[in-house]
Amino acid sequence: MVNLEVIETISDKAEKRIDLVIDRDTGMVFIQKIILGDMCSLYEAVKTLNSRYLPKIYSVSYKDEHTYVVVEKIEMLTLDKYLERSKADIRDVYKVANDIAHALRDLHMVKIVDRDVKPANIFYDGDKALLFDFDIARFYGNHAHDTRLLGSPGYAAPEQYGFGESNDKSDIYGLGKVMDYMLKKGGLEDRHLFKIIDKATKIDPKDRYRDIDHLIDDLTYLDSYALPGFRKGTSMTKILALVGYILLFCFAINIRYKDYAPRSFLEIVSKLEGMIWLFMIALYCGDYRHMRSRLTKGKNLLISLLISFFVIFLFLVIIVSIGELIIMIVGYLPTI
């Protein structure tokens, strides 16, 4: 793009200038960043990704010791400003975390670490989140320590302050801090997110998630319609879950009811009741579609256990009542 005209200077600092520009030929409006130093290879790598979770980059060039980057103008608020106007709920936290995790996965595919994952560098409109600003990003994997100590206090991982080389796990740390910020800003509680944040923000990178894909698995499995055991994506988990469901089925089908004749209608209905009840217990304990976490949110362990026992008993009452109703409908008297 060579026929650009500056409409407005948004920011002008020693190492970076940001302008709102218009293409005289097409009338389209863009953001132009002029960055001190040669960052062409990094921005070209981001440009080739063509990720839906990253802003579209139209051109990258280098002249007079500065990198010129033309990117799309995003009509969204940064996450920190969005949360000043709208109170976040749990869905917002999961949505932002998921989208930014996918943005980081795309960057990590080309060995780029963002190093500055924070609310001010995330755009969000309630439906979609974008990761923006790669000015302190770098390629990783070739250095024992970072040569420049950069990052935002409160979001930068310890290794960005000279304790090692920043890498993909540094971004995992930053994303964990963003989730923590959103929960605290909205006064929200979510046990599953607390566990994710705790693991993502460990001081030692070795104790964090192995990679961003494992964090994405933990973020998305609760919203999956897949049965408990089939949501994590690992083969061993799925095999164990399949074995568990088969054993549950065999146990329910082999229960003997001495008051009913073998293979009679009454015995079949009773076995179905038991099978469905055990299956519902598995769904509840596996927190299918947030079933358990919604009911026990904010409760202590004792209250959570009492709620769970009540829910399991309620499942039994409902299932047995439906079974007895079916027996009555087909002309049998309920057996008490």
Side-chain angles (χ1 to χ4, degrees):
M1 291 185 175
V2 295
N3 200 15
L4 298 177
E5 178 184 345
V6 176
I7 300 174
E8 175 188 357
T9 297
I10 299 172
S11 175
D12 192 359
K13 299 179 180 179
E15 294 191 347
K16 180 175 66 175
R17 172 175 166 171
I18 302 176
D19 293 324
L20 185 66
V21 299
I22 186 170
D23 187 332
R24 294 191 187 95
D25 296 329
T26 64
M28 294 181 65
V29 177
F30 305 96
I31 296 293
Q32 178 176 256
K33 303 171 74 172
I34 306 173
I35 308 163
L36 180 63
D38 186 358
M39 296 189 66
C40 286
S41 58
L42 187 140
Y43 271 96
E44 285 287 1
V46 176
K47 180 183 177 183
T48 60
L49 290 172
N50 196 28
S51 169
R52 58 174 295 208
Y53 304 101
L54 302 170
K56 182 175 178 59
I57 297 176
Y58 291 94
S59 69
V60 181
S61 59
Y62 181 75
K63 63 180 179 180
D64 301 328
E65 299 183 345
H66 287 79
T67 301
Y68 288 72
V69 185
V70 178
V71 300
E72 67 173 313
K73 182 177 182 293
I74 301 172
E75 302 293 343
M76 299 162 65
L77 294 173
T78 56
L79 180 60
D80 51 349
K81 292 181 179 178
Y82 177 89
L83 294 180
E84 289 176 2
R85 300 188 182 187
S86 305
K87 186 176 180 180
D89 58 23
I90 291 297
R91 188 199 70 86
D92 289 309
V93 184
Y94 275 98
K95 181 59 179 172
V96 170
N98 259 299
D99 286 359
I100 300 306
H102 280 84
L104 292 174
R105 181 170 68 177
D106 291 338
L107 290 176
H108 297 169
M109 285 172 57
V110 291
K111 292 295 183 180
I112 290 177
V113 54
D114 182 275
R115 295 202 297 175
D116 204 17
V117 182
K118 61 181 181 181
N121 286 343
I122 295 171
F123 284 101
Y124 185 57
D125 62 2
D127 293 312
K128 179 181 179 182
L130 291 174
L131 181 61
F132 194 79
D133 196 341
F134 316 109
D135 297 341
I136 67 169
R138 63 184 285 269
F139 291 102
Y140 66 90
N142 300 317
H143 306 282
H145 296 271
D146 285 5
T147 54
R148 297 178 67 195
L149 308 184
L150 297 171
S152 300
Y155 297 93
E159 57 268 24
Q160 291 179 231
Y161 294 101
F163 296 99
E165 182 198 11
S166 56
N167 53 32
D168 56 339
K169 293 192 176 187
S170 306
D171 287 341
I172 289 172
Y173 182 96
L175 180 55
K177 287 296 186 178
V178 168
M179 287 186 277
D180 185 53
Y181 164 82
M182 293 186 72
L183 289 176
K184 289 178 178 177
K185 188 76 173 178
L188 304 170
E189 293 186 6
D190 186 284
R191 291 183 182 181
H192 185 65
L193 281 175
F194 288 157
K195 291 178 182 178
I196 292 175
I197 292 167
D198 180 66
K199 187 171 183 177
T201 57
K202 294 292 187 184
I203 297 299
D204 189 340
K206 294 179 182 178
D207 295 330
R208 297 175 204 156
Y209 284 96
R210 185 179 4 172
D211 53 42
I212 198 67
D213 282 320
H214 283 77
L215 190 151
I216 290 173
D217 280 345
D218 268 357
L219 281 171
T220 57
Y221 91 96
L222 281 179
D223 287 319
S224 169
Y225 285 95
L227 296 176
F230 293 93
R231 299 173 297 192
K232 292 287 282 184
T234 61
S235 298
M236 182 55 66
T237 302
K238 291 178 180 178
I239 291 171
L240 292 174
L242 180 61
V243 171
Y245 286 118
I246 292 174
L247 290 175
L248 183 150
F249 173 80
C250 292
F251 175 76
I253 210 70
N254 284 290
I255 294 176
R256 299 299 305 165
Y257 294 87
K258 62 180 182 179
D259 294 333
Y260 306 140
R263 293 182 295 280
S264 66
F265 180 74
L266 290 174
E267 186 189 54
I268 291 172
V269 171
S270 297
K271 287 186 176 183
L272 284 174
E273 290 174 358
M275 188 186 306
I276 294 171
W277 184 51
L278 291 173
F279 181 69
M280 290 302 297
I281 292 175
L283 291 184
Y284 179 81
C285 293
D287 206 15
Y288 182 72
R289 302 296 296 170
H290 303 272
M291 184 188 299
R292 174 170 49 82
S293 58
R294 284 195 180 101
L295 292 172
T296 59
K297 177 182 176 182
K299 309 294 190 304
N300 61 38
L301 179 60
L302 178 60
I303 298 300
S304 296
L305 288 173
L306 290 174
I307 291 173
S308 296
F309 282 128
F310 174 76
V311 170
I312 291 171
F313 177 73
L314 186 62
F315 284 156
L316 179 62
V317 171
I318 293 173
I319 291 167
V320 170
S321 297
I322 293 174
E324 295 299 311
L325 181 61
I326 291 173
I327 291 173
M328 290 178 63
I329 291 174
V330 297
Y332 289 88
L333 293 174
T335 302
I336 308 276

